[in-house]
């Protein structure tokens, strides 16, 4: 987003759409900066420069730096929830069609998540920074990560209840899978080897992982 | 290590044992600082203060900050290799005793790794910081992470060759398992819930993971 500038505003009250767009540009720039350099190293002035607006505009749209940081996680979460809720709902429906369909729907769910993180590597960086200071900003977990973890863990619990699979510790499985995907995103970022092949191999791995845990 | 001070040295040439101890104290202090705050935020002066020695002593033992950083990874690697080489060798031997024994030896190997990282959470933090800048300090991967990944990947390849298991992408499996363990260590650091239960559940999960991938 660096260098992007907002269209010059005509005098008068900003239209709602313009306000929404400005907020989005600020959040995208801030997310990239926080992901790259961490909460402490980034200032509102820098966010403003990267977004092509002035500091007052940043403060107006997102408040303090802590509120801006929170809003960045909120934006990532909203996108992630949008992607996952649909696939989770399909998997819930598939449970009624039997174990085979349920497993296929889980493959699809994990593919959606892998696609999401591959397309937005800043999400991985943002969470890695969060996890490096487990006690700090801990409320971000409860507000943004936990609901998504629960969404998938509850799906696995529901699947276990139908007898489609056995899953004694859904939260451990979901967390481990999430971390495996972050590891994949980091390996892609480090480069080396064929990216296309890495992507294919990782998808095949997570499918084998699910088949191993849940396949009959 | 903060606040620890070295015993006062008598005049004359330091004994070899004393030199080794000083180096160990400096490396332990530096590892903790780098893990907590990252390469850029830590200075040699701070490392010296935490180790209870003067800056010249730090430089004498470990050179520049980049060399000190490298030595911290080297120290972590040496400890990790010590723990894993023995379990890997046992697993190699177990391959001859058939798939059941091989799987049991893999359980033991992963338990050794989980124990290692649970006992040294600074290892996870050090690697998370490294992975946040995939292009920077990239030689640390090749020097310290890659040999350990290869050690285990080659074991899986050897196991696949005997027919004990099927493993088309050992490097993806090893990386995913490593990241799952780091995720577990971070969850423990974040607290919440019963730590003892988390530890038991995670061990049971990694065993199920191996059984699912490799069990017959």
């Amino acid at each position: 987003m660096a260098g992007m500038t907002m269209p010059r505003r005509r005098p008068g009250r900003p239209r709602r759409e313009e306000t929404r767009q400005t907020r989005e540009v600020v959040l995208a720039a801030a997310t990239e900066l926080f992901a790259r350099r961490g909460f402490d190293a980034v200032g509102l002035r820098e966010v403003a420069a990267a977004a092509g607006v002035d500091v007052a505009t940043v403060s107006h749209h997102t408040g303090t730096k802590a509120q801006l940081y929170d809003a960045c996680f909120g934006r990532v979460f909203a996108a992630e929830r949008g992607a996952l809720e649909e696939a989770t709902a399909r998997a819930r429906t598939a449970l009624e069609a039997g174990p085979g369909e349920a497993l296929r729907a889980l493959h699809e769910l994990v593919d959606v998540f892998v696609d999401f993180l591959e397309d937005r590597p800043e999400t991985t960086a943002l969470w890695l920074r969060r996890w490096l200071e487990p006690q700090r900003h801990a409320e971000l977990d409860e507000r943004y990560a936990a609901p998504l973890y629960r969404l998938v863990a509850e799906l696995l619990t529901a699947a276990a209840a139908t007898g489609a699979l056995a899953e004694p510790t859904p939260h451990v499985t979901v967390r481990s899978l999430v971390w495996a995907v972050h590891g994949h995103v980091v390996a892609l970022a480090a480069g080396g080897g064929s990216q296309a092949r890495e992507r294919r191999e990782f998808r095949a791995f997570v499918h084998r992982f699910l088949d191993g845990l849940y396949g009959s």
Side-chain angles (χ1 to χ4, degrees), chain A residues 72-82 116 127 143-145 147-148:
Chain A
C72 289
F73 278 87
R75 177 173 165 274
V76 160
F77 166 73
E80 208 170 334
R81 190 178 56 181
F116 179 86
W127 281 110
R143 201 174 307 157
Y144 301 118
L148 280 174

Side-chain angles (χ1 to χ4, degrees), chain A residues 107-128:
Chain A
H107 282 196
E108 192 206 315
L109 174 58
V110 77
D111 286 349
V112 164
F113 183 61
V114 176
D115 288 348
F116 179 86
L117 282 190
E118 279 183 354
D119 289 345
R120 295 169 181 80
E122 72 280 9
T123 305
T124 289
L126 210 56
W127 281 110
L128 290 188

Side-chain angles (χ1 to χ4, degrees), chain A residues 7 37 69 85 99 126 130 166 184:
Chain A
R37 313 222 337 263
Y69 195 57
E85 272 185 345
L126 210 56
R130 154 76 199 100
H184 166 65

